[in-house]
């Protein structure tokens, strides 16, 4: 039974030397037969820092005569990467009730730890999506007010040509920002995206207008459009 269960099982004496173990644990240490571990300590198999940690746990259990259950501790895999064990240790008694060592089991929970970390990351992303949705919703409300006033200004007595052009540019910028917030809301709500055709020439023209005003009259900006009708 001991050699069949997937958990690693071991028992040690008062000096934390192995008295016995199952075959699964022996294989973890590079041996086919548990007899090769008898009389040895973790210092002969593990880095000193890790062996000291294991020894301290053994001594705590034996000194307190109390079990230490379901705790996690690090270990080094055969390929040198760090893994995690979930360990249980209980005091081992003789027939008179005296503590003569420690009995323990452990199992590799490295993959489980990785899955937990991925789950926590997914929860963070979900929380971020909810936050982004709230911000996008509020921002969209602001843009609705901006667009409403711009529409009113554009429909009223037309101002000077350059002012009218500036108002149109502001309105288009607000419209693009509104589209972006709708996309962000759709993403946060996990709605399917609806691909739509985009006029790249129109995008270049809009960006050129904005850049030209930023660069000023001393810098010439040349825009190259794709073949076909140039946007108005």
């Amino acid at each position: 039974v001991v050699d069949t269960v997937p958990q690693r099982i071991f028992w040690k004496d008062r000096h934390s030397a192995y008295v016995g173990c199952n075959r699964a644990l022996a294989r973890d240490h590079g041996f086919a037969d548990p007899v090769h571990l008898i009389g040895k300590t973790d210092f002969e198999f593990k880095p000193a820092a890790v062996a000291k940690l294991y020894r301290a746990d053994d001594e705590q259990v034996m000194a307190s005569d109390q079990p230490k259950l379901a705790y996690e501790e690090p270990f080094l895999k055969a390929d040198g990467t760090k893994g995690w064990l979930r360990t249980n240790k209980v005091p081992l008694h003789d027939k008179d009730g005296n503590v003569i060592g420690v009995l323990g089991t452990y199992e590799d929970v490295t993959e489980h730890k990785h899955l937990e970390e991925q789950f926590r990351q997914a929860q963070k992303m979900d929380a971020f999506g909810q936050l982004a949705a709230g911000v996008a919703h509020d921002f969209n409300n602001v843009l609705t007010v901006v667009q409403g006033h711009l529409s009113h200004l554009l429909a009223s007595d037309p101002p000077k040509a350059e002012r009218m052009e500036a108002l149109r540019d502001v309105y288009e910028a607000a419209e693009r920002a509104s589209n972006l917030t709708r996309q962000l809301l759709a993403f946060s709500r996990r709605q399917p995206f609806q691909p739509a055709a985009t006029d790249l020439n129109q995008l270049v023209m809009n960006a050129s207008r904005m850049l030209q005003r930023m660069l000023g009259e001393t810098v010439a900006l040349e825009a190259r459009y794709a073949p076909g009708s140039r946007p108005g």
Side-chain angles (χ1 to χ4, degrees), residues 51-63:
K52 285 180 181 178
L53 183 65
Y54 294 173
R55 174 71 65 85
D57 290 335
D58 294 344
E59 291 176 348
Q60 176 188 341
V61 169
M62 290 185 287

Side-chain angles (χ1 to χ4, degrees), residues 105-149:
T105 68
Y106 69 79
E107 57 183 327
D108 188 340
V109 293
T110 306
E111 185 61 27
H112 180 71
K113 293 276 287 185
H114 289 164
L115 292 174
E116 282 184 342
E117 183 59 33
Q118 291 174 8
F119 179 68
R120 282 194 293 269
Q121 189 65 26
Q123 286 182 312
K124 289 179 184 177
M125 292 301 296
D126 188 56
F128 173 76
Q130 293 179 18
L131 177 63
V135 173
H137 183 73
D138 290 341
F139 187 57
N140 201 46
N141 290 338
V142 174
L143 288 172
T144 300
V145 177
V146 172
Q147 287 177 301
H149 285 294

Side-chain angles (χ1 to χ4, degrees), residues 1 10 14 20 48 71 76-77 81 83 85 122 132 134-135 139-141 144 150 174 197 210 214:
V1 172
F10 62 89
R14 291 285 303 187
Y71 65 96
L76 287 178
K77 295 185 174 184
T81 60
L85 304 175
V135 173
F139 187 57
N140 201 46
N141 290 338
T144 300
L150 285 171
M210 179 184 65
M214 292 173 61

Side-chain angles (χ1 to χ4, degrees), residues 25-115:
L25 188 142
R27 286 194 295 268
D28 283 353
H29 291 76
F31 300 109
D33 194 316
V35 70
H36 296 297
L37 269 77
I38 295 176
K40 294 182 170 61
T41 68
D42 289 312
F43 284 91
E44 299 177 58
F45 309 109
K46 309 291 182 183
V50 175
K52 285 180 181 178
L53 183 65
Y54 294 173
R55 174 71 65 85
D57 290 335
D58 294 344
E59 291 176 348
Q60 176 188 341
V61 169
M62 290 185 287
S64 66
D65 197 9
Q66 295 294 322
K68 188 174 182 180
L69 305 175
Y71 65 96
E72 294 177 354
E73 54 187 355
F75 80 104
L76 287 178
K77 295 185 174 184
D79 59 4
T81 60
K82 183 179 179 180
W84 290 92
L85 304 175
R86 181 171 290 127
T87 304
N88 300 281
K89 289 182 179 179
V90 298
L92 191 62
H93 301 93
D94 63 13
K95 60 183 178 64
D96 297 320
N98 301 311
V99 177
I100 59 172
V102 61
L103 170 69
T105 68
Y106 69 79
E107 57 183 327
D108 188 340
V109 293
T110 306
E111 185 61 27
H112 180 71
K113 293 276 287 185
H114 289 164
L115 292 174

